[in-house]
């Protein structure tokens, strides 16, 4: 009992201090610590970064744009993007570790996890490549590129998990751009996510889920 | 066993005193031995008691392994000791499947049990019975103790059985050994889950699933050619197994509370014969009949049986001569147990009762003995991937209201005293009956078994028997000396002080090579190679010269009986397939 | 699901119909009501920047803020009529009726965010020179003569100030492949054609850098 | 003597009546398990499939998870000592159809929480479960197993499973058993003994 409380207190202390002190990873330094951190990420995000379907969908990180990843991790820390789990994960990362991690994941290229409904892949492709002007839905490809590989801060979408894309688009405004931060890039997507209906989101997410 | 032994022992009738005491001694030695085997130490329901003097055992039955697809170790720590799963397999009526179907491999299994027995000091006489194993020695006996054939498994649907047919080498006959037939079903009444079963078996506690009750208690195997002296046993221990039919019902509530009620009925002599349960006959009677009764009593019309015929030519003779006791009425048996399993632990506390109404020596007219056996037991098991520990403790207290035996004893004394010739050639009971009409007997057992990696087991057991003081029941050296005019060891339970009090330790080590799965060719095979040693701390209220008797050893040197003389080294190999 | 599938099947047909029919016929005349207009403008800004300042996506999305309405309207028509080839914008533009189009153009005209920037600064001086003096040896007139000294444009002449340098470079490089594609219906893009062709890559980059820095 | 005879008669009669009653009761129940021999499972997993001893609760477990585990036993990729001993044999002859039927049946049963962990450790377990220990590279369990430990598709339901089972699974992953069940071996490797204890405790109470 005592031991448990002590550990709990310690854990809480660690959590509180972590943002003020350098992360454990850096203190330990070295390749080994970094490798351990990579494995840690991959535990949830797939052993090749291909994503993983847990209770919550864990997004694909493989091939992701480093700048985007970095921005998102910062967004978690700054609570611009609300995700308690990723907040904890992100705030122990030192800038150097973070940069190395994003580079590592950018270089991975596993095949997509797949597993999306195939019925509406065609509609998804249309939305992605051309948008739905009548519905004020811009063509995704304009920013995310014809192959959905992303660019700088614009994320790669190809091969992203269907449920993750669906969830992200559906709850965009509730998760991202929080805390009144004005210059969060997520604002760009607000209108589009608002204009997409559930069927369109599903179609789009399905198309992206199979995209290599 | 003193009572039974007396009953079946030498007659005091007529020329009994002039008969060679050696024969009597043999007989008694044999009975004592069989009792040890059966009950006290007894293997499973083994059966036959003092009567026939054979013992048997059932173990990890390979057909169960085939039927369930499970290795022996799923149900057994060191077979036949059961794990919680083994208990549930049995409670479910042997109907769990998952392995081969009956039509692919019939639920038949076989077993052989070769043994080697060595006592610290050789017996006075070779352990055998008059028509039994012919080549037993006073010591160092190797014997293919028994061979068994099992039907073990599901019969159909929710009906299953374990039935064992055994050939016993020592007594050289084949009989129906442990048999347990069940029909089970499960019900849910709201939060209550009930496993309900109907059960038929052939001996009290044969149906029990814990290893604290006598039929399946420690030690699990014992020599049929055992030492001359062994402590007396309570009724529930000495095994009505094989000679009774028990029917009952049980319910196992919420995987925790076990309640059972059963009634045991006598088997007719005909049925006993059919099932191979030979009824020990009275040697005095046979000798009487063969030697002189025919001449002394020419055929007399109206006699219930032609006493003058050689006994072996008349089945009725045989039947009448059967000197084993029988159950006079349906005898109730009950059992309550609470088992709680948590994680790797299993704890059971329970109680059981058996109330045999015994007709001593099957002799009518003198009344019935009423027994009340109450047992308390507890068992703790800890089983994980590598280790298995089982601790067991059992205490059985028995009240003996020896109405029938006492009356027969008085009658026998009267007949002897008056020199009356009993026209049937049989005294009501041999001997004088008990000194007291009411006695008590208490049997305490505790044992612990440790099994490593499901393959190597070590056990230590302690047994302790106490009871009321009864000179005639437990032997009286002075009386023997006085009666016979010579000092013999008669091997009969003999106490210089008229007490049953005995104690001892049992050590057992065994190797079970196939517990985790048998050889490729026949993966269901099971084997146990074991060594056990029984050390007697005391026998019949004493340690040195406990029976007050002695013997001229090798015709010259004088020797008395010491408790430790009976210390027994026993080497056994169980092979089941 | 079924409707979705149906929509999907019908999609190519709709596209084909849209390209041959005038947009005005299947849409109500007049500008959209305010909420819908706002939605449409927000839609434009998804790509062209939340203040119309342009955006670098997979392609550079041009700045629309402060753009001349006449030019904007003309370009949107050019997309629709395939005089200017751009599959995405063709798709976007055909959903707009003239009144909406005007309203959008008017909206963007009023915006004046800072330039997105990002142009190489070392080219600005050379670009300014070309912008203001042209390239006489190649008979390239000063840009300022049409687009105005501050590059704000006028009427059909587009504003260039603050335009994304990469957009400008790309536009100049692909001018003849993208614009004036309907020989039966020549348009004002022909004016720029020789100029765009005459500029070397370096010169175009310099002008683009200069324009990208202009407010 | 007469008393005894009478008692014997009553006993015989009573036992006969009891026998008849029980047989009637047995015969009257619908054979709900005729086709699917669920007793082969409840034998060890408990009559209500709430788990018993080393055998985990399977009532209310995720259907897909149950199927996947039955296959893992069958192909012997789940090689924990207890799995090897009990489940390899039990599934050796299990057809995929029957595995599916068993999974469907048991997943439909109501689950009860074991509540057999250390209450004092549950709070710490909750922190680890929900947040992980990022400094020690311990991932949060909640992202896969859900806020109430309900699991997802083939990811097992953990809420209310017995402390002992959860503990031994985590320990055995750390020891290299059932290595194919990725990513759990990775997770288990990062957990300390105390953390495993705390997690298992917390989960045993989670409903």
């Amino acid at each position: 009992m005592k031991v448990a409380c002590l550990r709990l207190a310690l854990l809480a202390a660690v959590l509180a201090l972590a943002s003020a002190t350098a992360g454990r990873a850096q203190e330990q330094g070295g390749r080994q610590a970094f490798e351990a951190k990579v494995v840690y990420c991959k535990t949830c995000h797939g052993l090749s970064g291909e994503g993983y379907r847990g209770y919550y969908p864990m997004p694909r990180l493989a091939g992701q744009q480093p700048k985007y990843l970095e921005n998102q991790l910062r967004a978690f820390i700054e609570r611009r993007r609300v995700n308690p789990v990723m907040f904890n994960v992100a705030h122990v990362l030192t800038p150097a570790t973070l940069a190395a991690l994003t580079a590592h994941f950018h270089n991975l290229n596993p095949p997509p996890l797949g597993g999306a409904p195939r019925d509406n892949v065609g509609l998804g492709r249309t939305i992605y490549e051309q948008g739905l002007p009548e519905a004020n839905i811009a063509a995704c490809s304009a920013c995310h590129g014809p192959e959905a590989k992303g660019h700088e801060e614009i994320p790669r979408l190809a091969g992203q998990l269907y449920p993750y894309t669906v969830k992200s688009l559906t709850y965009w405004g509730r998760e991202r751009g929080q805390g009144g931060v004005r210059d969060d890039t997520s604002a760009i997507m607000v209108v589009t996510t608002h204009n997409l209906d559930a069927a369109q989101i599903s179609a789009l997410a399905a198309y992206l889920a199979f995209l290599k | 066993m003193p009572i039974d032994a007396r009953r079946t022992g030498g007659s005091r009738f007529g020329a009994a005193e002039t008969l060679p005491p050696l024969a009597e001694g043999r007989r008694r030695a044999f009975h004592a031995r069989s009792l040890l085997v059966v009950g006290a130490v007894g293997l499973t329901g083994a059966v036959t008691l003092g009567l026939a003097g054979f013992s048997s055992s059932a173990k990890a039955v390979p057909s169960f392994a085939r039927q369930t697809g499970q290795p022996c170790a799923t149900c057994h720590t060191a077979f036949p000791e059961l794990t919680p799963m083994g208990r549930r397999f049995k409670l479910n009526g042997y109907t769990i499947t998952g392995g081969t179907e009956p039509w692919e491999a019939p639920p038949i299994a076989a077993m052989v049990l070769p043994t080697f027995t060595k006592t610290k000091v050789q017996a006075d006489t070779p352990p055998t019975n008059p028509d039994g194993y012919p080549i037993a020695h006073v010591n160092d006996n190797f014997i293919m103790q028994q061979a068994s054939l099992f039907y073990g498994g599901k019969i159909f649907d929710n009906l299953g059985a374990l039935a064992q047919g055994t050939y016993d080498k020592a007594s050289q006959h084949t009989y129906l050994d442990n048999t347990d037939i069940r029909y089970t079903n499960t019900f849910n009444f709201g939060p209550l889950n009930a496993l309900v079963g109907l059960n038929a078996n052939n001996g009290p506690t044969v149906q029990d699933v814990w290893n604290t009750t006598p039929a399946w208690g420690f030690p699990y195997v014992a020599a049929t050619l055992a030492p001359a002296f062994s402590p007396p046993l309570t009724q529930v221990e000495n095994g009505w197994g094989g000679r009774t039919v028990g029917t009952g019902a049980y319910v196992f509530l919420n995987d925790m509370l076990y309640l059972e009620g059963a009634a045991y009925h006598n088997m007719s002599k005909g049925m006993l014969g059919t099932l191979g349960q030979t009824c020990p006959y009275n040697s005095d009677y046979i000798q009487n009949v063969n030697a002189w009764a025919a001449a002394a009593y020419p055929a007399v019309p109206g006699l219930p049986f032609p006493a003058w015929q050689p006994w072996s030519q008349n089945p009725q003779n045989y039947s009448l001569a059967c000197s084993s006791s029988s159950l006079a009425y349906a005898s109730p048996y009950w059992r309550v147990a609470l088992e709680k399993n948590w994680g790797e632990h299993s704890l059971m506390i329970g109680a059981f009762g058996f109330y045999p109404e015994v007709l001593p020596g099957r002799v009518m007219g003198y009344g019935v003995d009423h027994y009340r056996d109450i047992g308390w037991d507890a068992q703790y098991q800890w089983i994980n991937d590598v280790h298995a520990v089982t601790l067991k403790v059992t205490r059985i207290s028995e009240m003996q209201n020896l109405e029938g035996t006492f009356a027969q004893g008085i009658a026998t004394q009267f007949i002897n005293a008056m020199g009356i010739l009993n026209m049937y050639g049989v005294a009501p009971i041999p001997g004088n009956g008990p000194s007291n009409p009411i006695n008590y007997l208490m049997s305490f057992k505790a044992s612990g078994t440790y099994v490593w990696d499901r393959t190597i087991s070590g056990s230590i057991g302690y047994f302790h028997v106490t009871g009321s003081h009864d000179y005639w029941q437990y032997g009286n050296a002075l009386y023997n000396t006085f009666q016979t005019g010579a000092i013999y060891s008669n091997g009969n339970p003999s106490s210089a002080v008229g007490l049953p009090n005995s104690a001892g330790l049992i050590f057992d080590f065994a190797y079970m090579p196939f517990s985790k799965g048998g050889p490729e060719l026949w993966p269901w095979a099971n084997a146990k190679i074991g060594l056990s040693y029984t050390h007697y701390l005391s026998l019949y209220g004493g340690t040195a010269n406990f029976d007050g008797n002695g013997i001229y050893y090798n015709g010259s040197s004088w020797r008395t009986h010491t408790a430790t003389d009976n210390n027994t080294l026993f080497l056994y190999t169980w092979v089941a397939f | 699901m079924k409707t979705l599938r149906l929509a999907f099947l019908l999609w190519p047909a709709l596209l084909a119909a849209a390209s041959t029919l005038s947009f005005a016929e299947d849409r109500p005349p007049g500008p959209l009501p305010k909420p819908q207009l706002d939605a449409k403008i927000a839609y434009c800004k998804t790509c062209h920047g939340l203040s119309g300042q342009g955006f670098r996506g997979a392609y550079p999305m041009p700045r629309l803020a402060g753009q001349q309405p006449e030019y904007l309207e003309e370009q949107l028509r050019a997309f629709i009529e395939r005089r200017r080839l751009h599959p995405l914008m063709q798709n976007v533009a055909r959903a707009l009726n003239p009144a909406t189009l005007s309203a959008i153009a008017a909206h963007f005209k009023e915006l004046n965010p800072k330039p997105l920037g990002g142009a190489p600064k070392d080219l600005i001086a050379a670009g300014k020179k070309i912008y203001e003096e042209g390239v006489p040896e190649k008979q390239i007139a000063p840009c300022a003569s049409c687009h105005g000294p501050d590059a704000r444009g006028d009427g059909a002449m587009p504003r260039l100030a603050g335009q994304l340098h990469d957009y400008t470079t790309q536009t100049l490089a692909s001018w003849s492949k993208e614009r004036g594609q309907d020989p039966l219906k020549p348009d004002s893009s022909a004016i720029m054609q020789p100029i765009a062709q005459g500029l070397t890559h370096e010169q175009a980059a310099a002008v683009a850098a200069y324009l990208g820095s202009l407010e | 003597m007469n008393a005894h005879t009478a008692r014997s008669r009553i006993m015989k009669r009573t036992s006969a009546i009891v026998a008849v009653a029980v047989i009637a009761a047995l015969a009257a129940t619908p054979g709900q398990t005729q086709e699917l021999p669920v007793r082969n499972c409840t034998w060890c997993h408990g009559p209500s499939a709430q788990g018993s001893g080393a055998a985990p609760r399977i009532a209310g477990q995720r259907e897909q998870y149950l199927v996947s585990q039955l296959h893992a036993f069958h192909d012997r990729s789940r090689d924990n000592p207890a799995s090897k001993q009990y489940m390899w044999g039990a599934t050796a002859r299990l057809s995929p159809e029957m595995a599916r039927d068993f999974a469907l049946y048991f997943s439909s049963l109501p689950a009860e929480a074991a509540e057999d962990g250390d209450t004092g450790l549950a709070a710490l377990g909750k922190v680890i479960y929900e947040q992980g220990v990022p400094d020690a590279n311990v991932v949060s369990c909640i992202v896969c197993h859900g806020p109430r430990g309900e699991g997802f598709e083939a990811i097992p339901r953990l809420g209310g499973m017995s402390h002992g089972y959860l503990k031994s699974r985590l320990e055995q992953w750390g020891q290299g058993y059932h290595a194919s069940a990725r990513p759990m071996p990775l997770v288990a490797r990062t957990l300390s003994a105390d953390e495993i204890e705390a997690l298992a405790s917390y989960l045993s109470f989670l409903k």
Side-chain angles (χ1 to χ4, degrees):
Chain A
M1 193 69 163
K2 261 195 181 147
V3 178
C5 289
L6 195 63
R7 272 214 69 150
L8 186 60
L10 271 176
L11 192 62
V14 167
L15 290 177
L17 288 174
S19 50
T21 61
R24 220 201 277 182
Q26 198 190 22
E27 284 166 20
Q28 291 164 353
R31 182 114 202 113
Q32 210 174 351
F34 174 69
E35 291 299 337
K37 191 55 84 178
V38 169
V39 170
Y40 167 64
C41 299
K42 289 178 174 177
T43 303
C44 286
H45 289 278
L47 299 181
S48 308
E50 74 277 21
Y52 187 75
R53 298 174 61 136
Y55 182 85
Y56 304 108
M58 259 61 79
R60 175 188 174 105
L61 300 182
Q64 190 52 280
Q65 296 295 337
K67 273 203 173 166
Y68 171 76
L69 277 184
E70 203 175 326
N71 183 33
Q72 292 309 305
L73 287 167
R74 262 207 314 273
F76 291 129
I77 297 169
E78 295 161 13
R79 309 260 193 196
R80 280 183 281 127
R81 183 172 173 185
V82 178
N83 183 322
V85 171
M86 284 306 296
F87 168 78
N88 286 327
V89 170
H91 79 180
V92 299
L93 299 176
T94 61
T97 308
L98 199 150
L101 283 174
T102 57
H104 175 87
F105 281 103
H106 181 66
N107 293 330
L108 299 177
N109 190 24
L113 204 60
R118 289 185 180 269
D119 321 31
N120 286 306
V121 168
L123 173 61
R125 182 183 177 137
T126 302
I127 296 172
Y128 186 82
E129 292 180 348
Q130 301 173 13
L132 296 176
E134 291 85 351
N136 295 332
I137 293 160
C140 316
S141 62
C143 290
H144 294 277
E147 295 182 307
K149 294 272 159 63
H151 175 67
E152 304 275 309
E153 288 192 3
I154 299 166
R156 173 192 169 115
L157 301 180
Q160 191 51 278
L161 268 62
Y162 168 81
Y164 177 75
T165 309
V166 169
K167 186 196 78 159
S168 296
L169 292 175
T170 307
Y171 300 111
W172 191 272
R174 274 196 248 164
E175 183 182 349
R176 310 205 189 201
Q178 304 298 305
V181 181
R182 297 201 71 90
D183 61 344
D184 190 76
T185 48
S186 70
I188 296 162
M189 285 296 293
V190 170
V191 171
T192 306
T193 55
H194 181 75
N195 291 344
L196 284 164
D197 68 25
Q200 289 160 344
I201 286 176
S202 170
L204 189 57
Y207 169 68
L208 293 169
F210 294 110
L211 207 57
K212 282 182 189 171
Chain B
M1 179 37 64
I3 292 176
D4 238 11
R6 285 230 164 192
R7 243 177 252 142
T8 54
S11 163
R12 294 285 176 271
F13 163 72
E17 282 80 8
T18 65
L19 288 173
L22 188 61
E24 181 182 59
R26 265 193 195 141
R27 195 68 176 310
R28 289 182 169 168
F30 176 73
H31 285 298
R33 185 176 64 248
S34 70
L35 288 168
L36 168 71
V37 170
V38 170
V41 203
L43 205 26
T44 109
V47 182
T48 71
L49 49 123
L51 204 35
F54 32 69
S55 138
S56 74
S57 53
K59 37 246 55 154
V61 182
S63 62
F64 289 155
R66 284 202 301 278
Q67 174 178 306
T68 59
Q70 294 291 317
C72 311
T74 294
C75 291
H76 295 286
T77 50
F79 60 86
E81 190 174 86
L82 293 174
T83 64
M85 286 165 201
R87 290 192 277 279
R88 278 151 190 78
F89 178 75
K90 189 170 174 181
L91 289 172
N92 273 290
Y94 313 106
T95 57
I96 303 294
T97 57
T100 59
E101 299 293 341
W103 56 85
E104 294 172 272
I108 303 290
M111 183 196 81
V112 292
L113 178 58
T115 66
F116 174 78
T117 310
K118 180 181 182 64
T119 49
K120 187 177 172 193
V121 174
Q122 69 176 47
D124 300 337
T125 57
T128 183
N129 62 355
D131 63 344
Y133 191 56
I135 52 165
H137 311 292
V138 290
N139 209 348
D140 301 338
N141 280 302
F142 174 81
I143 182 171
M144 185 60 73
Q145 190 162 312
Q146 71 176 71
S148 291
L149 200 63
F150 296 90
Y151 179 95
K154 180 172 168 168
I155 297 171
F156 66 83
D157 198 16
N158 287 343
L159 183 68
L162 168 66
Q164 181 182 7
T166 293
Y167 171 74
D168 184 81
K169 182 77 172 176
S171 63
Q172 297 192 313
H173 80 294
T174 303
Y175 66 101
L176 183 70
D177 204 334
N178 296 325
T179 297
D180 179 25
I181 305 168
R182 289 160 190 261
Y183 182 85
T184 62
N185 209 339
T186 47
F187 302 94
N188 283 301
F189 310 103
L192 207 59
N193 178 282
L195 171 63
V196 176
L198 297 179
N199 174 274
N201 61 73
N202 65 350
T205 76
V206 164
Q207 76 275 35
D208 204 58
V209 297
W210 289 275
N211 294 94
T212 44
T213 49
W216 304 95
F218 180 82
Y220 304 119
V221 62
T224 46
L225 300 175
F229 294 91
S230 62
L233 301 167
T234 61
Q235 291 292 309
V236 70
E237 286 174 300
N238 81 8
W240 286 91
R243 293 188 298 146
T244 57
V245 178
T247 51
Y250 61 90
V251 59
F252 193 38
L253 295 170
N254 282 358
D255 210 37
M256 208 192 300
L257 179 63
Y258 178 80
L259 302 169
E260 182 195 350
Y264 284 86
H265 309 265
N266 199 40
M267 270 188 201
S268 71
K269 282 178 275 192
M271 185 159 176
L272 284 174
T274 306
L275 296 178
Q277 299 284 12
T278 56
C279 192
Y281 44 83
N282 186 314
S283 61
D284 297 324
Y285 163 75
I286 294 159
Q287 283 157 359
N288 289 344
V289 170
N290 284 343
W292 53 267
Y297 294 92
V300 179
L303 271 183
F305 76 99
W308 52 93
Q309 283 186 0
W311 75 280
S312 56
Q313 290 173 18
N314 190 329
Q316 205 182 357
N317 283 355
Y318 174 82
S319 171
L320 242 176
C322 178
S323 62
S324 72
S325 299
S326 69
L327 290 176
Y329 316 112
S331 300
Y333 168 84
W334 57 265
R335 172 80 163 123
V336 178
L338 192 64
E339 178 177 294
K340 176 76 182 147
N341 291 308
W342 70 103
E344 296 163 344
H345 310 273
S346 176
L347 179 67
M348 180 280 290
I349 52 171
F352 52 94
F354 182 48
Y355 307 83
E357 301 285 338
V358 178
L359 186 63
R362 295 185 188 253
V363 176
M364 307 283 279
Y366 294 91
V368 170
D369 291 344
H370 316 293
Y371 292 88
R372 189 210 63 191
D373 288 16
I374 303 286
W376 295 93
D377 58 338
Q379 175 175 303
Y380 166 77
Q381 275 185 317
W382 172 60
I383 302 172
N384 77 0
D385 301 329
V386 181
H387 313 285
V389 172
T390 306
L391 304 176
K392 303 174 288 278
V393 59
T394 310
R395 182 188 188 281
I396 299 168
S397 64
E398 176 174 273
M399 285 306 299
Q400 307 170 337
N401 181 350
L402 305 171
E403 198 179 303
T405 318
F406 194 73
Q408 287 190 34
I410 288 173
T412 304
Q413 289 175 52
F414 179 76
I415 289 168
N416 288 340
M418 305 300 286
I420 298 169
L421 194 60
N422 185 331
M423 70 185 303
Y424 297 115
V426 189
I429 59 161
N432 302 295
S435 311
N436 318 309
I438 293 180
N439 275 331
Y440 78 86
L441 189 62
M442 193 283 290
S443 165
F444 175 83
K445 282 177 183 149
S447 65
T449 299
Y450 169 75
V451 184
W452 180 78
D453 200 26
R454 315 190 190 291
T455 47
I456 294 173
S457 75
S459 305
I460 299 177
Y462 170 73
F463 61 87
H464 187 197
V465 175
T466 55
S468 49
H469 192 275
D470 191 312
Y471 265 112
W472 280 352
Q473 181 133 261
Y474 300 117
N476 182 326
L478 293 177
Y479 175 79
N480 276 351
T481 307
F482 174 75
Q483 287 283 311
T484 59
I487 296 171
Y488 290 108
S489 163
N490 59 12
N492 189 39
S494 292
S495 170
V497 292
L499 281 171
N501 302 359
S502 309
L505 291 167
I506 301 170
F507 305 88
D508 185 281
F509 300 94
Y511 173 55
M512 297 162 287
F514 304 139
S515 266
K516 294 190 282 190
E520 200 114 318
L521 199 61
W522 190 253
W524 308 286
N526 198 5
K528 185 174 185 178
I529 301 159
L531 183 67
S532 86
Y533 186 75
T534 306
H535 174 73
Y536 291 91
L537 298 168
S538 65
L539 272 172
Y540 291 98
T543 51
N545 197 15
F546 59 85
D547 61 347
N549 282 335
I551 188 172
Y552 282 108
Y553 184 55
N554 284 342
S556 55
S557 59
W558 173 255
R559 167 191 128 188
T560 56
H561 295 126
T562 300
T564 53
D565 287 354
N566 289 283
N567 290 1
T568 307
L569 183 71
F570 180 56
L571 186 63
Y572 58 93
T573 304
W574 253 331
V575 182
F577 42 89
Chain C
M1 213 56 166
K2 267 216 174 121
T3 30
L4 254 184
R5 194 172 296 181
L6 194 63
F8 170 55
L9 289 172
L10 287 175
W11 195 247
L14 281 174
L15 282 178
S19 59
T20 50
L21 292 175
S22 162
F23 56 80
E25 282 167 64
D26 52 348
R27 263 159 235 292
L32 293 168
K34 173 111 171 82
Q36 286 172 32
L37 182 67
D38 288 349
K40 187 57 83 177
I41 289 167
Y43 161 65
C44 300
K45 289 179 176 174
T46 299
C47 288
H48 291 278
L50 297 179
S51 308
Q53 77 275 34
F55 183 70
R56 289 191 177 88
Y59 324 97
M61 255 65 78
R63 173 186 176 105
L64 301 182
Q67 190 53 281
Q68 295 297 334
E70 198 182 320
Y71 172 75
L72 266 188
E73 288 177 46
E74 161 62 11
Q75 290 308 306
L76 287 165
R77 267 199 301 277
F79 287 130
I80 296 168
E81 293 165 11
R82 304 217 181 206
R83 284 182 279 120
R84 183 173 171 184
L85 288 189
H86 196 292
L88 280 180
M89 284 309 296
Q90 190 256 338
N91 199 25
V92 169
R94 64 167 180 74
L96 304 171
N97 67 15
T100 307
L101 206 151
S102 301
I104 291 171
H107 172 84
F108 278 105
K109 171 73 179 147
E110 298 310 314
L111 300 178
N112 189 24
K114 297 226 173 227
L116 197 60
K121 294 218 162 67
D122 51 340
L123 295 178
I124 291 176
K128 185 175 186 337
K129 190 166 186 301
I130 295 169
Y131 186 82
E132 289 173 353
E133 299 168 17
V135 189
E137 60 273 23
K138 281 192 176 174
Q139 283 85 42
I140 291 173
C143 312
S145 58
C146 288
H147 292 280
D150 50 3
R152 296 274 165 92
D154 183 29
M157 293 297 158
R159 174 192 169 117
L160 302 179
Q163 190 54 276
L164 275 62
H165 75 98
D166 32 0
Y167 173 76
T168 308
T169 315
Q170 187 201 68
T171 304
L172 288 170
S174 62
W175 193 272
S176 56
K177 278 182 247 159
E178 185 180 338
R179 310 211 184 196
Q181 298 297 304
D182 188 351
L184 300 176
K185 206 172 177 186
D187 58 24
S188 58
S189 69
I191 300 165
M192 272 300 288
Q193 202 273 328
I195 299 166
Q197 207 155 15
L199 287 170
T200 64
H201 185 68
E202 289 73 23
Q203 287 165 334
V207 174
Y210 170 63
L211 293 172
S213 67
L214 272 186
E215 289 197 13
Chain D
M1 203 61 155
N2 278 340
H4 288 130
T5 316
R7 184 173 126 198
S8 165
R9 276 208 200 114
I10 290 165
M11 278 219 36
K12 274 182 180 160
R13 198 173 302 161
T14 313
S15 59
I17 291 168
V18 167
V20 168
V22 175
I23 288 172
L26 295 177
T29 25
Q32 82 274 15
T33 59
Q34 284 297 322
E35 319 80 44
L36 198 61
V38 295
R39 283 212 280 178
N40 290 357
C41 309
T42 57
W43 167 27
C44 297
H45 290 275
S48 310
Q50 300 299 332
S52 176
R57 181 187 74 193
I58 51 176
Q61 187 50 280
R62 295 260 150 207
E63 183 186 348
Q64 280 171 269
Y65 173 73
L66 289 176
V67 170
S68 74
Q69 295 311 296
L70 287 172
H71 284 277
F73 294 129
H74 184 79
D75 66 23
R76 303 191 167 188
S77 57
R78 183 165 166 182
D79 55 356
N80 304 56
S83 308
K84 194 171 173 177
Q85 192 193 332
Y86 304 112
M87 293 308 296
W88 285 13
T91 57
R93 298 166 65 90
L94 193 66
S95 69
E97 295 73 35
M98 197 168 260
R100 227 172 33 228
D101 291 348
F102 275 131
L104 183 65
Y105 174 76
F106 286 108
S107 65
S108 71
L109 298 182
E112 294 160 20
E115 302 186 335
D116 58 351
D118 181 343
T119 46
L121 290 174
L124 174 62
K126 181 177 164 72
V127 172
I128 299 168
Y129 183 80
E130 294 181 352
Q131 303 179 10
V133 187
D135 291 279
N137 294 331
V138 176
V139 296
S140 92
C141 317
I142 199 173
V143 292
C144 282
H145 293 279
R148 311 306 304 164
E150 56 269 68
F152 173 76
E153 297 188 345
I155 296 168
R157 176 177 188 162
L158 302 181
M161 296 203 76
S162 75
H163 165 267
Y165 174 74
L166 292 166
K167 186 178 164 198
S168 70
R169 280 317 301 277
L170 287 170
E171 285 172 351
Q172 288 168 2
W173 267 313
Q175 293 156 10
Y177 292 106
H178 199 193
S180 62
R182 297 191 298 175
M184 285 312 295
L186 296 175
V187 178
R189 235 167 35 204
T190 61
L191 289 167
S192 70
D194 292 348
E195 285 159 348
I196 287 177
E197 189 70 41
L199 267 177
S201 289
Y202 170 64
L203 287 169
S204 76
F205 296 103
L206 191 61
K207 285 178 199 164

